[in-house]
Amino acid sequence: MADNKKVKAKAEQLKGAAKEQLGRAVGNERRTAEGRTEKARGDLRQAKEKAKDAFRD
C-alpha cells in the first residue's frame, strides 16, 4: 500500500513539473502556478511517506 502512495506522490510531482514548464513556455501564469502547487503537494506527500517509513523501521 505504501508503495502505491509513493508512486502517486512521484506522479503528482512529475505532472506538476510538466504543467509548470508548459505554463512558462506559453506564458500562462495560472497554469504555471497550478503546476507549482501540484508539485509541492507531491513533495509533501512524498515527505510524509518517507517519515512513515522511518518510523516503521
Side-chain angles (χ1 to χ4, degrees):
M1 180 87 152
D3 290 335
N4 186 28
K5 290 183 180 182
K6 287 179 186 178
V7 170
K8 186 175 181 180
K10 193 62 164 176
E12 194 165 27
Q13 287 173 326
L14 293 172
K15 182 180 172 189
K19 190 180 276 189
E20 182 180 0
Q21 290 300 319
L22 179 64
R24 283 186 182 164
V26 297
N28 186 334
E29 191 60 39
R30 180 177 174 206
R31 182 161 295 191
T32 303
E34 286 175 2
R36 274 191 229 122
T37 302
E38 282 184 31
K39 187 176 174 190
R41 195 176 314 141
D43 291 342
L44 289 172
R45 187 183 310 248
Q46 186 176 40
K48 180 181 86 171
E49 292 302 319
K50 284 183 179 182
K52 285 176 19 182
D53 285 346
F55 286 111
R56 286 185 194 159
D57 292 337

